[in-house]
Amino acid sequence: MNGIIRIFVLMSVLAFGLTACSVEEPHTGVKPVHDDIPQMSEDVVAGELLVRFDPRVSQILENAGLTKSGINAPATRSGVLSVDEILSLVKGYEIERVFPVDVRTEDKAREAGLHLWYVVRFSEEFSAEKVASDLVQLGEVSRVSFNRSLKRASTRKAVPLTGEMVRKLTSVKAGSDDPLYGYQWNLDNDGSLQNLIPDSKVTKFVPGSDIRAEGAWTKCTGHPDIIVAVLDEGVDVTHPDLAASMWVNEDEVYGSTEDADGNGYAGDRHGYNFVKQQGRITVNSRYDSGHGSHVAGAIAARNNNGIGIKSIAGGDGSADSGVRIMSCQIFAGEYVGTLLDEVRAIKYAADNGAVILQCSWGYISGAANPYDWTPQYSTDEEWEEYNVLERKALDYFMHTAGSPSGVIDGGIAIFAGGNESAPAASYPGAHPDFVAVAATAGDFTPAVYSNYGPGTTISAPGGDQDYYWEYADDDHWVGEVGCILSTLPRHISESGYGYMEGTSMACPHVSGVAALGLSYAAQKKLHFTAEEFKALLHESVTPIDAYMTGTKQYKRYVADLVESAPVMTLDMNAFRGGMGSGQVNAYKLLKAVEGAGVQMTFPNLYVSEGGQTTVVPSMYMEGTGFTVNVENTTIATAEMVEGKMIVKGIKEGQTKAVVTGAESQTFVITVRRNAGSAGWL
């Protein structure tokens, strides 16, 4: 299947070597020349290095004004004499922080050591390896890494849903307000799509082989306070089934060149395009596949709006329902992103309210067949050794996303497990700190391309065209129905919808179910730590090991060779115990949420002197028409405006306050000065 996937039109892009996109970082197993310099490889970005400075020179860097350097205004000197002396010998020397200063979260970034990472640029005529070797000898430098391009493994497109396809399909879901819902077996599999493959001797659509969305929707359909960051190609923010589900940064104007909210990124109203360094999200670059929009649609396409599809957490049709999608674009067709773009996107997601990191990408599994692939990391230690900054950024998301007083304290990173048919998941998802998703077909059997085994933590529907491609002629169209139907940009699909398959499609099913579970927690006003909630996600599954028996036959589909395509056999026994804890189950997760967590209370608030903060009381307590009374208004004031409490700091100190809805709760307002301990402001 591996080689066939590369030319299979439904696979779209094989993600960072997995599904949608490919990070190519060949791992040779050779010890680096220096512990802090990985071996050169073809994907290294010329004229750039990522440098971590020793904490002892942090103040020097800040005195040189580097906290104010950024994407549009890099500095030309670091202030560290030994570094500047080396870099003065190369042309075009520029330096800027890897992570722009976000005044709201700078203290957390410093605690994580992210403020010590800088990107150094110089003329491409100079060897990055030579410059790195010179820099790493300095006591002021603790680590030097190469920036790397994130390369695609395929540029194949999705299969658009055409009017002709719809006419040939016969299954219709009665009573649905979303006309294409009948073809979404992944959400509600009633077995009716089996009728489209009349010659099959095997039942390939087993009723109940889905994520049990129908039952979950009786409890919750999604909450707008839950934000999922989609690290992928751009999401089509104008798509009629997605526009109302996009996260909105109220302080920003879409695509503006002004950074209105001071988070280091201009015009980021719906997220940020880290590839092109702009707030405008793109979906029409050459070789764009629509993958980001397809992923977003599976999670949060608008439900009950009379058009298109349903999604896992897309609300009930009302404006104040459904989770929100933040587009963190790290691919733009032929304009590939880099490691620098990726880590910036991860931190951006944490700093701007996302609690789920949706990552349909990864490296090639270390257990992949070397005849078809270039195997990469096989152990946690290997991945960590060669990806220090990537690990740091993911740690930051896991530990700083969310809020200690909100629905979830910390964030959950969810990765595609890989499409190499390998007996081990790929990294980063295979690391025990993250979630790695395997893919299944509409009968709980593993998709023939899916990775499985060590590192795999959970399964979800991902589609399996090779398994369903049984009966196709001028009057029948079958194989794609066994894949995942979701949203696509209109220039890719005239209808705005189409099919893809892969663990990159299974991944958003888990992200969507997790988002729905957190939405229900928000609805019930329950608090979880990220680890507690991740444990619930893995425990509340549908067991599928009973389906891992016997053999599974499929055809390796090759365009124009349908009739002569060879019949292949998959040994199902090899997958027993290797598909994670089971298939993600939305209904079971919501039931588990009911009996867990800690009841939230209104939090103590911190505000700067002369500044203000906004909080929504209904997130923490029952009631409407909230009122607030501050004990000492010489320290702080508070007022309710359209359901939001706006607290302003007057002078340094503390005061008690009382908020009243269905009940009254006392909290403390602390007003403090604006500078952190290092005086970075």
Side-chain angles (χ1 to χ4, degrees), residues 135-207:
L135 286 174
V136 82
Q137 306 303 319
L138 303 177
E140 295 89 344
V141 172
S142 64
R143 188 175 187 91
V144 178
S145 298
F146 298 118
N147 192 15
R148 304 187 309 271
S149 296
L150 310 179
K151 295 183 179 179
R152 298 174 184 276
S154 171
T155 56
R156 295 293 178 179
K157 301 294 184 181
V159 171
L161 183 70
T162 66
E164 181 182 5
M165 289 176 177
V166 172
R167 286 192 295 274
K168 288 180 178 179
L169 292 171
T170 58
S171 175
V172 177
K173 186 84 68 178
S176 173
D177 194 35
D178 301 286
L180 298 177
Y181 181 42
Y183 316 130
Q184 293 183 271
W185 60 266
N186 45 306
L187 302 184
D188 180 37
N189 190 349
D190 60 7
S192 62
L193 291 180
Q194 182 71 24
N195 297 328
L196 296 176
I197 43 177
D199 288 359
S200 178
K201 297 179 177 61
V202 179
T203 301
K204 296 187 176 183
F205 284 104
V206 174

Side-chain angles (χ1 to χ4, degrees), residues 385-407:
E385 178 183 356
Y386 286 89
N387 296 277
V388 172
L389 183 54
E390 186 176 61
R391 175 64 202 256
K392 289 286 186 183
L394 286 166
D395 280 348
Y396 181 86
F397 182 85
M398 288 191 303
H399 298 306
T400 68
S403 167
S405 58
V407 174

Side-chain angles (χ1 to χ4, degrees), residues 503-522:
T503 56
S504 65
M505 294 301 107
C507 187
H509 283 78
V510 177
S511 295
V513 170
L516 191 64
L518 288 174
S519 295
Y520 193 45

